[in-house]
Amino acid sequence: MLIVQKYGGSSVANTERIFNVANRIIEYYKQGHDVIVVLSAQGDTTDDLIEKVKEISKSPSKREMDMLLSTGEQQSVALMAIALTEMGYPCISLNAAQVGMITTADYGNARIKKIKTERIKREIERKNIVLVTGFQGINNFDDITTLGRGGSDTTAVAIAAALHADKCEIYTDVDGVYTADPRVVKNARKIKEITYHEMLELASLGAKVLHNRSVELAKKYNVELVVRSSLTKAEGTIVKGGFNMEKMSVSGIAGDDKVARVALIGIDDTPGKAFEVFNALAKGNINVDLIIQSIGHEGKKDISFTIDTDALEDTKKIINNNIDRLGVKVVDFEQDLAKVSIVGAGMATDAGVASSMFEAMFDAHINIHMISTSDIKISILVNKADMKKAMCALHDKFALQY
Amino acid sequence: MLIVQKYGGSSVANTERIFNVANRIIEYYKQGHDVIVVLSAQGDTTDDLIEKVKEISKSPSKREMDMLLSTGEQQSVALMAIALTEMGYPCISLNAAQVGMITTADYGNARIKKIKTERIKREIERKNIVLVTGFQGINNFDDITTLGRGGSDTTAVAIAAALHADKCEIYTDVDGVYTADPRVVKNARKIKEITYHEMLELASLGAKVLHNRSVELAKKYNVELVVRSSLTKAEGTIVKGGFNMEKMSVSGIAGDDKVARVALIGIDDTPGKAFEVFNALAKGNINVDLIIQSIGHEGKKDISFTIDTDALEDTKKIINNNIDRLGVKVVDFEQDLAKVSIVGAGMATDAGVASSMFEAMFDAHINIHMISTSDIKISILVNKADMKKAMCALHDKFALQY
């Protein structure tokens, strides 16, 4: 079998953990499998580098940030290669340039365009364990890019897809996907199998286990994912295509407390204004999540939308630069909000889910600011202080506990 | 003018120093010069990485060490680019792969074969300040190599040579080349100008300011070097071709307390044995310095040589692997030694220099273990404890003080 494994930063944070991961890798290799391992930067490496930058510049060049941050993963793969060699196993580390991980030129948020698989294939043929830097690529000018959030997961899935790997295992510090974040909802339950579609909704809603980009890619190329812990032997959660095996209306609850809301009040009610707003934001690489537009009156309307709080500074700049052109009267930024969502493939055919959700919020005296729905999820925006209470109430309401 | 500057690790060790260097760079750029800057890894970055490795392996793969250590310089150039951008100046950082710094495949000690100058030239034409990672290259397989000791100086000189730069400034934490290490010899004096040839002898003898590889390269391509401090405005020392302008017999004293001596006693006195010894060491990339061979008797002879103490472990391995083949009876390793040398282009024509040196040692009651001479230097091996005393005595003897 050809197996791609990805280990996150906490899994390789120190020497002990590096050897722990090395042992896992060797376990598979000794069974005769070909193993490709994607690694993130060690523990706090990336954060430490970002701290250094903060002393130098508040708005650093994105190209140079990628040049800087990509060193973290390179250190990880080299250290792991040294550990595996010490243990007597043949291996080689490769960075993005060596792998030929070609991406777009969007520094900080690049998309993988192509993987030149020749080098990896050659190393696999030589029976080397191949260690690949996650999170990064190079663009057509040989400049280093990074893939943004969830980048290392995406690297692993992309390699698994490109090489038609039999399995892609995502090792993390939790042992699978839960019905809700166990740190928030005490009686949350581990899910055995979940569909790409459900996982996508959970991931994009802040379940923090797998990033939606990697799941989207896995879905597109039908790569079977396993999410599991690098610290225990527990079986993880399998993410794959097909139907939801557990057949429940709601399979999970997600909470995201990094939500900021932007309200553009008194915007001109002429065609194309909303497009102009979101086009400007898209050009600035701002991901907009929930959107609400009021019905216009007196030639004016209001548009509210939510973004990740990390994007707030960039968003403020873009909005302020366009304030005249858009004819906005008042701009309001609000940070202390959280998004709580219920996800489940069975929801679309179960009319009672939405009303049960609102009932649970009413019973818990939680005020709902915005609502957004799709086929398999319902999201509500609540005060940040209410997030935990809301998640627990929903978990109980939909009987997701053990 | 096209100016190449190199700043060492202590010059970019923290944010304050990064801005200090950025200001120097900008000073030249504002005068209309094209500036290429070669940087080392920040302060202790490389040592910290080596510490991490020590926890993992005692004899790490050299390829992976280069993969690991090269990240330090990449961080430096990215941070400097962020600082220069913050100050409003156009710049770009380039690593060895991007520069096209092609080297041999000798990991840990690679030689520069070629620089593909297209990218640097293009960036210079765009009026970018170009920041280049020192110390590293890539081999023909796109694998990362490092250049070994003095690597960043060598990078700077190689770029200056390849681009026919008008000047190559080596910034360090001392303000020039001194007649002796001022930390050892209190009244040492800064030298204004020194020839490549003298500098070579001083550098290879432990003057620690410029590595001999960079000076050799500068000599070969006639690149005028300036050694100066990044912390003061003091004029440095110019290293160039031609004659010694100061016309003294002895221009400097060097001390090196990282000397180990290996004695092979009772080796077979047959032709080619010495060659076998040093060939085995050369294959292991061990630089042998002083060599003494006794006159053979009873079919046996003794060979002693000195090496850098860092190379002692590797040397022991090589010697022990070859002990039978060489017919060595006893091997003796000795570490507490130092080499003290006097250097000067005028020495060859001044017969009294050697006897003055020995007289100074006799007066100071210092025992000499080995002697080695060349046209422009005399080196002696003394006990490590005597090094300082020997250097001061020689400095006085040859009246090098202010």
Side-chain angles (χ1 to χ4, degrees):
Chain A
M1 280 216 291
L2 173 60
I3 300 172
V4 178
Q5 301 186 328
K6 177 260 172 176
Y7 294 91
S10 61
S11 301
V12 292
N14 55 42
T15 301
E16 190 194 336
R17 293 199 176 175
I18 286 173
F19 277 112
N20 170 50
V21 167
N23 276 316
R24 282 197 179 251
I25 296 169
I26 289 168
E27 210 175 282
Y28 286 86
Y29 184 81
K30 284 204 307 205
Q31 289 167 23
H33 300 307
D34 295 323
V35 188
I36 299 167
V37 179
V38 174
L39 297 180
S40 300
Q42 282 191 295
D44 299 327
T45 308
T46 304
D47 289 339
D48 290 348
L49 290 172
I50 290 172
E51 281 308 307
K52 279 193 184 182
V53 168
K54 278 187 184 159
E55 289 182 14
I56 298 175
S57 175
K58 277 183 185 161
S59 54
S61 147
K62 286 186 176 173
R63 178 195 184 274
E64 299 300 341
M65 280 304 283
D66 286 1
M67 186 80 169
L68 180 70
L69 297 183
S70 63
T71 59
E73 287 76 27
Q74 190 165 320
Q75 292 176 357
S76 287
V77 293
L79 290 170
M80 187 62 73
I82 288 167
L84 287 168
T85 306
E86 176 70 15
M87 296 166 84
Y89 290 86
C91 62
I92 190 161
S93 72
L94 299 175
N95 66 19
Q98 291 162 348
V99 163
M101 178 71 63
I102 313 298
T103 72
T104 60
D106 305 314
Y107 298 113
N109 197 25
R111 302 267 145 181
I112 297 170
K113 285 164 66 179
K114 184 186 166 182
I115 303 176
K116 296 181 181 169
T117 52
E118 295 83 2
R119 178 78 191 258
I120 294 187
K121 281 183 182 159
R122 199 162 68 231
E123 301 296 346
I124 286 288
E125 275 162 23
R126 289 177 180 159
K127 286 292 160 200
N128 275 325
I129 296 166
V130 183
L131 303 157
V132 177
T133 51
F135 180 65
Q136 61 192 257
I138 56 166
N139 65 18
N140 284 335
F141 309 104
D142 286 344
D143 286 342
I144 295 171
T145 57
T146 63
L147 305 181
R149 293 192 158 240
S152 291
D153 291 355
T154 306
T155 305
V157 176
I159 290 174
L163 293 171
H164 308 291
D166 298 284
K167 221 186 201 177
C168 182
E169 298 185 323
I170 308 290
Y171 287 88
T172 172
D173 50 0
V174 298
D175 62 357
V177 180
Y178 277 72
T179 50
D181 187 335
R183 288 168 299 188
V184 179
V185 179
K186 285 280 173 311
N187 53 2
R189 185 176 52 80
K190 190 164 72 184
I191 300 169
K192 246 188 172 174
E193 281 191 14
I194 189 169
T195 64
Y196 295 126
H197 201 166
E198 287 172 314
M199 190 64 222
L200 271 175
E201 293 289 6
L202 278 172
S204 67
L205 296 170
K208 287 169 194 161
V209 179
L210 270 180
H211 196 273
N212 55 355
R213 278 173 69 189
S214 55
V215 183
E216 270 166 20
L217 204 60
K219 187 181 170 201
K220 187 169 174 187
Y221 293 99
N222 205 29
V223 174
E224 186 171 313
L225 294 177
V226 183
V227 181
R228 55 192 299 191
S229 166
S230 64
L231 302 173
T232 72
K233 294 273 172 186
E235 281 186 32
T237 299
I238 297 168
V239 188
K240 59 181 200 176
F243 301 102
N244 175 18
M245 306 305 289
E246 303 190 15
K247 287 186 184 130
M248 287 196 305
S249 297
V250 175
S251 52
I253 314 281
D256 178 2
D257 63 359
K258 287 186 69 190
V259 178
R261 183 180 54 181
V262 181
L264 307 178
I265 298 167
I267 204 167
D268 289 342
D269 189 13
T270 49
K273 280 298 165 194
F275 168 74
E276 275 187 43
V277 172
F278 296 112
N279 190 39
L281 292 169
K283 277 184 185 160
N285 259 322
I286 308 292
N287 286 317
V288 171
D289 187 13
L290 310 184
I291 300 174
I292 287 185
Q293 182 180 308
S294 69
I295 297 162
H297 65 108
E298 295 178 9
K300 296 287 178 186
K301 65 187 174 190
D302 308 334
I303 295 179
S304 300
F305 57 88
T306 64
I307 51 172
D308 191 287
T309 47
D310 285 344
L312 189 58
E313 286 310 309
D314 283 352
T315 303
K316 277 185 180 173
K317 261 187 226 159
I318 293 167
I319 296 295
N320 288 331
N321 287 342
N322 289 283
I323 206 157
D324 291 336
R325 195 158 59 86
L326 298 171
V328 176
K329 262 195 195 152
V330 181
V331 184
D332 183 56
F333 298 99
E334 164 79 54
Q335 281 196 70
D336 291 326
L337 297 169
K339 186 172 63 167
V340 175
S341 310
I342 56 175
V343 172
M347 257 168 58
T349 54
D350 188 344
V353 173
S355 69
S356 293
M357 183 180 199
F358 303 142
E359 187 183 14
M361 293 301 98
F362 176 76
D363 289 344
H365 304 290
I366 293 167
N367 193 27
I368 299 173
H369 298 297
M370 286 170 92
I371 299 170
S372 164
T373 62
S374 83
D375 267 8
I376 67 157
K377 65 127 198 187
I378 305 174
S379 297
I380 57 174
L381 203 65
V382 300
N383 290 334
K384 193 188 263 186
D386 287 334
M387 185 177 91
K388 186 179 173 162
K389 197 165 62 166
M391 287 175 71
C392 291
L394 291 169
H395 206 266
D396 285 345
K397 189 77 181 178
F398 295 104
L400 295 170
Q401 65 276 14
Y402 286 101
Chain B
M1 280 217 290
L2 174 58
I3 299 172
V4 177
Q5 301 186 329
K6 177 261 171 177
Y7 295 91
S10 61
S11 300
V12 293
N14 55 42
T15 301
E16 190 194 337
R17 292 199 177 175
I18 286 174
F19 277 113
N20 170 50
V21 167
N23 275 317
R24 283 199 179 249
I25 296 169
I26 289 168
E27 210 175 282
Y28 285 86
Y29 184 82
K30 285 205 304 204
Q31 288 167 23
H33 300 307
D34 296 322
V35 189
I36 299 167
V37 180
V38 174
L39 297 181
S40 301
Q42 282 192 294
D44 299 326
T45 307
T46 305
D47 290 339
D48 290 348
L49 291 172
I50 289 173
E51 281 308 309
K52 279 193 184 183
V53 169
K54 278 188 185 160
E55 289 182 16
I56 298 175
S57 175
K58 277 182 186 162
S59 54
S61 146
K62 285 185 176 173
R63 179 195 184 274
E64 299 300 342
M65 280 304 283
D66 287 0
M67 187 80 169
L68 180 70
L69 297 183
S70 63
T71 60
E73 287 76 26
Q74 190 165 320
Q75 292 177 355
S76 287
V77 293
L79 289 170
M80 186 63 72
I82 289 167
L84 287 167
T85 306
E86 176 71 17
M87 295 166 85
Y89 291 86
C91 62
I92 190 160
S93 72
L94 299 175
N95 66 19
Q98 292 162 348
V99 163
M101 178 73 61
I102 313 298
T103 71
T104 60
D106 306 314
Y107 299 113
N109 197 25
R111 303 266 145 183
I112 297 170
K113 285 165 68 179
K114 184 185 165 183
I115 303 176
K116 295 181 181 169
T117 52
E118 295 83 3
R119 178 77 191 258
I120 294 187
K121 280 183 183 160
R122 198 163 70 230
E123 300 297 346
I124 286 288
E125 274 162 24
R126 288 176 181 161
K127 286 292 158 201
N128 275 325
I129 296 166
V130 182
L131 303 157
V132 177
T133 51
F135 180 65
Q136 61 191 257
I138 55 167
N139 65 18
N140 284 334
F141 309 103
D142 286 345
D143 286 342
I144 296 171
T145 57
T146 63
L147 306 180
R149 292 188 158 244
S152 290
D153 291 355
T154 305
T155 305
V157 176
I159 290 174
L163 294 171
H164 308 290
D166 299 284
K167 221 186 203 177
C168 182
E169 298 185 323
I170 308 289
Y171 286 88
T172 172
D173 51 0
V174 297
D175 62 357
V177 180
Y178 277 72
T179 50
D181 187 338
R183 288 168 299 186
V184 180
V185 179
K186 285 278 171 317
N187 53 4
R189 185 175 54 79
K190 190 165 72 185
I191 300 168
K192 245 189 172 171
E193 281 191 15
I194 189 169
T195 64
Y196 295 126
H197 201 167
E198 288 172 312
M199 190 63 223
L200 271 176
E201 293 288 5
L202 277 172
S204 66
L205 296 171
K208 287 168 193 161
V209 179
L210 270 180
H211 195 273
N212 54 355
R213 278 174 68 189
S214 57
V215 182
E216 269 166 20
L217 203 62
K219 187 180 171 201
K220 187 169 174 189
Y221 293 99
N222 205 29
V223 175
E224 187 172 313
L225 295 176
V226 183
V227 181
R228 55 191 299 191
S229 165
S230 64
L231 303 172
T232 72
K233 293 273 174 188
E235 281 185 31
T237 299
I238 297 168
V239 187
K240 59 180 199 178
F243 302 101
N244 174 19
M245 306 306 288
E246 303 190 14
K247 286 187 186 127
M248 288 196 305
S249 297
V250 175
S251 53
I253 315 281
D256 178 2
D257 63 359
K258 287 186 68 191
V259 178
R261 183 179 54 180
V262 181
L264 308 178
I265 297 167
I267 203 168
D268 289 342
D269 189 13
T270 50
K273 280 297 164 195
F275 168 74
E276 275 188 42
V277 171
F278 296 113
N279 189 39
L281 292 168
K283 276 184 185 160
N285 259 322
I286 308 292
N287 285 317
V288 172
D289 188 11
L290 310 184
I291 300 175
I292 286 184
Q293 181 180 310
S294 69
I295 296 162
H297 65 107
E298 295 178 7
K300 296 287 178 184
K301 64 189 174 187
D302 308 335
I303 295 179
S304 302
F305 56 88
T306 64
I307 51 172
D308 190 288
T309 48
D310 285 345
L312 190 58
E313 285 310 308
D314 284 351
T315 303
K316 278 184 181 173
K317 261 186 228 160
I318 293 167
I319 295 295
N320 288 330
N321 285 342
N322 289 281
I323 207 156
D324 291 335
R325 195 158 59 85
L326 297 171
V328 176
K329 264 195 194 150
V330 181
V331 184
D332 181 58
F333 299 99
E334 163 79 55
Q335 280 197 71
D336 289 326
L337 298 169
K339 186 172 64 168
V340 175
S341 310
I342 56 175
V343 172
M347 257 168 56
T349 54
D350 189 343
V353 172
S355 69
S356 293
M357 184 181 199
F358 303 143
E359 187 183 14
M361 292 303 97
F362 176 76
D363 290 344
H365 304 290
I366 293 168
N367 193 26
I368 300 174
H369 298 297
M370 286 170 92
I371 300 171
S372 163
T373 61
S374 83
D375 267 8
I376 68 158
K377 67 129 195 185
I378 305 175
S379 297
I380 57 175
L381 204 64
V382 299
N383 290 333
K384 194 187 260 185
D386 287 334
M387 185 178 92
K388 185 177 175 165
K389 197 165 62 165
M391 288 175 72
C392 291
L394 292 168
H395 206 267
D396 285 346
K397 188 77 181 178
F398 295 103
L400 294 169
Q401 66 276 13
Y402 285 101

